[in-house]
Amino acid sequence: MKIILVAGARPNFMKIAPIIRAMNKHPQLEPVLVHTGQHYDKNMSGTFFQTLGIPDPHYNLQVGSGSHAVQTAEVMVRFEEVCLKEKPDVVMVVGDVNSTIATGLTAKKLHITLAHVEAGLRSGDRSMPEEINRLATDAITDLFFTTELQGTKNLINEGHAPESVHFVGHVMIDNLFYQLQNLSESTISTDVVQLKKSLPEKYICMTLHRPSNVDSRENISKIFDAVREISTRAPVVFPIHPRTLKNIESFGLKPLLNTENIITTSPLDYNDFLYLWKDSCLVLTDSGGLQEEATALRIPCLTMRENTERPVTAEVGSNIVVGTDGEKIKRLAMEAIEGKWKECAVPELWDGRASERIVCLIGEEKLICYNVVKKQ
Ligand code: UD1
């Protein structure tokens, strides 16, 4: 069975790494890796392939940045050529970025079976580009693989056939556990090792890149004001995403970060950042993936968004959704620094074996029959 596996942007790379490893153990599966090139900088893409052990892609579509329409359309045009040439049995997409919907839509229009890993998540917030990508991708997906039971419920409520929805756990957590097992100081960049040595026992790691936060001068200023205050109690390490950096500069907000307690860096390699945040006393973020990874390691996490499409992280995990309410962020951050946090657990099936489950299911006769029926 030939399967095209698609990755485009930074959060996709952590998800495809364990899937490829699992597929390589099944000789009947022939994976073809396509990188759309949505993310292209060395520190947003190249280093992730090396660090996570992802082989060179068979195709790099090199679409680069652009408006949503331009980026999505470019991926579609270039991906169609690949599908026509490779004639895959299945196209497998992960997550919710523009490359996910663009390649999914292209595959379906060519009558290729579409599998979506991390399906069914819903924030209910249609102003979020990822929510549109999730809804549109799931509307045309044949095989759904969900990370939490709420995802399965959402899909069933939307009318999808229960036998097409498989709760398998989370491939991103497979990758996290795999990387943690192999993490050694000798593979971490010297600057990051030095940085960690210079930090006190209690420090915080922060990431911020959602358009709803960083494209708004008001929201980003509110967050930075709170973070400046928190940083007087525990220093904050802040690797800055390119979108965020551009906006900080254009809004003239650089002075707000001008304190020795906020340590800014360029975007970090996966393991370099993991080496820092795994021992932090708090993660401050608006990233979907980091909420989940912090939950898997039971690290207190404050999600600076109004909602989450990953409710299990807040229901059983260590995550609290706080929006951009500065007072709330400060109060809860102080509690984390003082070691007071809610009881938390690791969600069901987040055990490092989701990729194996996906690969076994996709290789199952039952699913192959399902594909054949769909193709007729
Ligand atoms: C994208 C995803 C988002 C994901 C995020 C992780 C969509 C709609 N959004 O958002 O879900 O959480 O990736 O990073 O797909 N840029 C660079 N170098 C790069 C890539 C981007 O400098 O390698 C800059 C460009 O100026 C670009 C901007 O960052 O215009 C935004 O990149 P884009 O891929 O459009 O969206 P992200 O904000 O990264």
Side-chain angles (χ1 to χ4, degrees):
M1 187 193 282
K2 189 187 271 191
I3 305 179
I4 291 188
L5 184 59
V6 179
R10 188 171 63 174
N12 293 163
F13 306 139
M14 297 72 130
K15 294 167 195 161
I16 61 159
I19 299 176
I20 294 182
R21 262 193 298 280
M23 281 184 179
N24 285 340
K25 290 187 194 148
H26 288 252
Q28 79 275 26
L29 301 182
E30 187 191 341
V32 175
L33 180 57
V34 174
H35 184 351
T36 66
Q38 176 175 343
H39 283 175
Y40 43 86
D41 279 349
K42 188 165 176 280
N43 57 8
M44 295 294 284
S45 169
T47 58
F48 282 79
F49 273 68
Q50 283 157 20
T51 301
L52 304 182
I54 306 169
D56 285 342
H58 297 86
Y59 296 89
N60 187 330
L61 308 183
Q62 297 186 319
V63 296
S65 299
S67 68
H68 285 268
V70 167
Q71 197 171 55
T72 308
E74 277 300 330
V75 173
M76 288 184 73
V77 171
R78 297 180 198 195
F79 187 63
E80 187 178 44
E81 276 179 38
V82 176
C83 288
L84 291 172
K85 184 167 163 221
E86 292 289 341
K87 299 189 176 35
D89 299 290
V90 177
V91 166
M92 183 178 280
V93 297
V94 298
D96 54 17
V97 301
N98 286 344
S99 299
T100 309
I101 176 58
T103 51
L105 193 51
T106 308
K108 264 337 287 173
K109 294 270 179 140
L110 293 172
H111 309 289
I112 300 166
T113 296
L114 179 62
H116 185 199
V117 174
E118 205 188 57
L121 298 179
R122 300 288 179 264
S123 66
D125 174 3
R126 292 195 178 198
S127 67
M128 210 183 163
E130 293 81 2
E131 183 73 353
I132 305 301
N133 293 341
R134 289 179 204 117
L135 285 161
T137 304
D138 285 340
I140 54 170
T141 289
D142 302 294
L143 294 172
F144 303 90
F145 296 106
T146 63
T147 54
E148 56 176 280
L149 280 170
Q150 188 57 49
T152 300
K153 284 183 198 155
N154 294 337
L155 291 166
I156 307 287
N157 289 342
E158 287 169 16
H160 296 288
E163 60 274 21
S164 63
V165 184
H166 305 273
F167 172 41
V168 289
H170 204 341
V171 293
M172 191 163 201
I173 305 306
D174 297 3
N175 174 70
L176 171 67
F177 291 166
Y178 182 87
Q179 293 302 328
L180 265 180
Q181 252 176 18
N182 299 305
L183 200 68
S184 96
E185 208 168 276
S186 62
T187 60
I188 304 300
S189 78
T190 329
D191 289 352
V192 171
V193 173
Q194 287 307 324
L195 167 59
K196 191 167 183 182
K197 285 195 173 133
S198 72
L199 293 168
E201 191 199 335
K202 302 242 169 156
Y203 63 91
I204 295 167
C205 286
M206 174 162 93
T207 74
L208 203 62
H209 75 279
R210 290 267 154 240
S212 59
N213 283 331
V214 305
D215 292 0
S216 148
R217 190 178 198 285
E218 192 195 338
N219 283 351
I220 197 171
S221 310
K222 271 201 286 188
I223 292 172
F224 286 168
D225 284 339
V227 170
R228 268 172 77 90
E229 234 179 289
I230 295 163
S231 73
T232 60
R233 295 286 304 282
V236 177
V237 181
F238 179 28
I240 310 185
H241 185 282
R243 171 191 283 278
T244 312
L245 183 62
K246 241 191 224 170
N247 291 346
I248 291 173
E249 283 166 353
S250 70
F251 295 147
L253 295 178
K254 266 199 153 168
L256 281 185
L257 297 176
N258 230 343
T259 143
E260 59 177 36
N261 298 324
I262 300 180
I263 302 126
T264 60
T265 72
S266 21
L268 293 177
D269 170 57
Y270 184 84
N271 277 346
D272 282 358
F273 191 46
L274 172 59
Y275 176 74
L276 290 170
W277 74 257
K278 76 180 176 62
D279 295 320
S280 65
C281 67
L282 173 68
V283 166
L284 282 173
T285 193
D286 59 5
S287 146
L290 197 50
Q291 291 169 48
E292 297 179 314
E293 292 186 311
T295 287
L297 299 192
R298 301 175 195 242
I299 308 257
C301 176
L302 292 180
T303 293
M304 296 181 289
R305 281 176 44 192
E306 300 304 327
N307 47 57
T308 180
E309 61 286 340
R310 301 157 207 269
V312 78
T313 61
E315 283 159 16
V316 311
S318 58
N319 184 31
I320 300 179
V321 181
V322 286
T324 52
D325 177 344
E327 287 311 311
K328 198 167 174 188
I329 295 173
K330 280 188 280 185
R331 178 173 53 78
L332 288 165
M334 295 309 168
E335 286 181 17
I337 294 166
E338 285 160 16
K340 300 175 193 157
W341 207 249
K342 60 173 179 161
E343 286 263 317
C344 51
V346 177
E348 200 182 343
L349 294 190
W350 288 19
D351 57 1
R353 301 189 53 204
S355 315
E356 265 174 54
R357 292 186 190 102
I358 290 173
V359 167
C360 287
L361 281 163
I362 223 150
E364 253 186 31
E365 211 182 323
K366 186 169 88 197
L367 292 186
I368 296 170
C369 295
Y370 178 75
N371 294 344
V372 172
V373 171
K374 282 268 162 184
K375 271 185 183 169
Q376 281 165 356

